[in-house]
Amino acid sequence: MDRRSFIKKTGAVGAGAAAATALAAPAIAQSMPKITWRCSSGFPKALDTIYGAAEVFSDAVKEATDGNFNIQVFAAGEIVGALEGADAVQNGTIEMAHTASYYFWGKDPTFAFGTGVPFGLNQRMTNGWMYEGGGLDLLNKFYAKSNMISFPAGNTGAQMGGWFRKEINTVEDMQGLKFRIGGFGGKIIEKVGVVPQGLPGGDIYPALEKGTIDAAEFVGPYDDQKLGFNKVAKYYYYPGWWEGGVALLNMINLDKWNELPSSYKGVIKNASALANSVMMARYDTLNPVALKQLAGSGTQLRPYSQPILEACFNAAQETYAEISAENADFKEIHDSYMGYRRDAYLWFQLSEYNFDTFLMLQQRAGKL
């Protein structure tokens, strides 16, 4: 090869490389545009675990995009109220909300399934149904009618059953009881004579202290202790049968979602899954410590009686049948959700139940 031919060929290669470099920079910039979103939490900053899941999510998005996708998290009430997230997302006032979808069951009871319904799935079953059982696809098919898409972004696990100013032993004891209860559980418990009260977390303590309400539930030992409920009610009941595995969702405006590059959509999905895992791990770590402190300070732990649980279970079954008969969206998701529950307990009663029960008995015997 002569010198002139060599220079000609290498020059062509160099020009091609330069052109490729020139094209690469704008392409990268286009794939990682500078975007700022606002996310309204359904919770106050004081509840650092449940509110903190939104921060875990936001930090993960920022890190994965080298700071190009910035999601600002606002506490409940800073830009929209705790119970107004879905409306604000739907109409585009904000891009997304990190919240409990059952807050919006009054719009349509089908919303309740995104977070959980009475005597529904526990935390692991919820993840299984959403991620692998087709549940999230069904939810997003429904949410699309409200111009939203959602992803799991936290779970409290099974919650406690509430703080009561007096003992509740029978179904008759619940007649006329003014009980703050979140989500769809209020509709169920109303059938057994309770008067449900819908209050945001920050309004519960003064209402309970003044006797405006007789009882209140929120989450579990860690959050309830922070809110001071043990100071104004003595009896702490379990289990929270209306909240066996409460999922929090990132609910996103569908138009804004569709505008995102595919890489950012993937980041949102992965960051949501991280928040989903971290929130449960934090509650599992913090709740045992808080429960011991509450018990040590005089809180009286009480189980709901079997007659109360059975009355509420029967009321739930009756309610699901009534709504399914007139709401096709509810029925479609209900049948999938409860079908998953039926099959999952075939496995859980052999594995988790027996393993956990044996070790709990060893603990009671002082061997753990």
Side-chain angles (χ1 to χ4, degrees):
M1 181 181 296
D2 61 31
R3 180 174 177 274
R4 182 176 298 177
S5 175
F6 176 77
I7 292 173
K8 183 177 180 181
K9 289 182 178 180
T10 56
V13 171
T21 301
L23 288 172
I28 291 172
Q30 290 170 10
S31 66
M32 296 187 69
K34 290 280 188 181
I35 296 177
T36 299
W37 275 12
R38 295 182 300 170
C39 172
S40 179
S41 170
F43 309 95
K45 290 182 181 179
L47 299 178
D48 56 316
T49 303
I50 197 164
Y51 171 85
E55 293 185 323
V56 169
F57 163 76
S58 174
D59 290 345
V61 169
K62 186 174 183 179
E63 182 180 359
T65 61
D66 290 330
N68 287 305
F69 192 2
N70 184 25
I71 298 178
Q72 301 172 331
V73 180
F74 296 87
E78 289 185 344
I79 50 177
V80 299
L83 307 181
E84 299 167 0
D87 288 333
V89 171
Q90 181 178 353
N91 63 34
T93 302
I94 55 177
E95 289 79 14
M96 63 175 294
H98 179 254
T99 188
S101 66
Y102 67 15
Y103 283 167
F104 318 115
W105 75 270
K107 296 161 65 72
D108 186 317
T110 312
F111 272 96
F113 288 106
T115 289
V117 297
F119 300 102
L121 304 177
N122 65 22
Q123 181 263 339
R124 276 182 54 189
M125 292 177 190
T126 296
N127 280 346
W129 177 67
M130 285 191 177
Y131 289 131
E132 298 294 332
L136 190 56
D137 290 338
L138 286 175
L139 289 172
N140 282 331
K141 174 184 171 185
F142 169 72
Y143 293 144
K145 296 180 179 182
S146 298
N147 197 35
M148 292 187 288
I149 188 171
S150 70
F151 302 98
N155 202 298
T156 68
Q159 295 189 6
M160 289 291 283
W163 297 85
F164 290 76
R165 293 161 64 92
K166 63 179 183 179
E167 287 193 77
I168 304 296
N169 297 311
T170 67
V171 175
E172 289 70 28
D173 291 337
M174 303 185 76
Q175 304 303 305
L177 194 77
K178 291 177 290 185
F179 185 21
R180 184 278 174 189
I181 181 169
F184 194 56
K187 184 172 180 64
I188 307 301
I189 207 166
E190 192 172 24
K191 283 183 174 287
V192 297
V194 171
V195 182
Q197 308 289 308
L199 295 173
D203 296 340
I204 299 173
Y205 182 94
L208 197 57
E209 181 182 35
K210 295 174 184 177
T212 307
I213 58 176
D214 303 304
E217 63 80 34
F218 193 62
V219 179
Y222 181 69
D223 286 339
D224 292 0
Q225 184 184 44
K226 288 178 76 71
L227 292 173
F229 297 152
N230 56 305
K231 299 175 183 177
V232 289
K234 181 178 180 180
Y235 300 101
Y236 199 19
Y237 276 78
Y238 61 90
W241 48 264
W242 52 92
E243 294 176 318
V246 175
L248 280 298
L249 298 179
N250 280 330
M251 306 187 80
I252 301 169
N253 179 277
L254 193 54
D255 295 329
K256 292 296 183 180
W257 170 259
N258 289 332
E259 291 174 1
L260 292 177
S262 59
S263 60
Y264 281 13
K265 291 179 180 178
V267 167
I268 283 182
K269 291 177 182 178
N270 291 333
S272 296
L274 175 65
N276 196 36
S277 177
V278 168
M279 183 174 156
M280 189 70 260
R282 287 180 176 175
Y283 271 123
D284 280 342
T285 302
L286 295 168
N287 276 332
V289 176
L291 185 62
K292 287 192 290 185
Q293 292 171 346
L294 288 169
S297 66
T299 294
Q300 300 294 306
L301 296 171
R302 294 287 188 274
Y304 280 118
S305 67
Q306 283 300 115
I308 288 177
L309 289 175
E310 289 174 6
C312 293
F313 179 83
N314 292 336
Q317 299 304 106
E318 179 183 328
T319 302
Y320 297 148
E322 292 170 354
I323 298 174
S324 292
E326 59 187 23
N327 186 323
D329 289 328
F330 185 94
K331 184 179 189 307
E332 181 180 29
I333 296 180
H334 169 274
D335 290 352
S336 171
Y337 183 94
M338 295 305 183
Y340 195 93
R341 181 190 65 176
R342 181 184 60 247
D343 291 342
Y345 272 116
L346 292 174
W347 166 239
F348 272 62
Q349 66 182 295
L350 297 179
S351 58
E352 304 294 325
Y353 176 79
N354 284 288
F355 179 78
D356 290 346
T357 299
F358 174 78
L359 287 176
M360 290 172 190
L361 290 173
Q362 303 315 300
Q363 183 179 51
R364 293 177 183 179
K367 297 180 180 180
L368 292 186

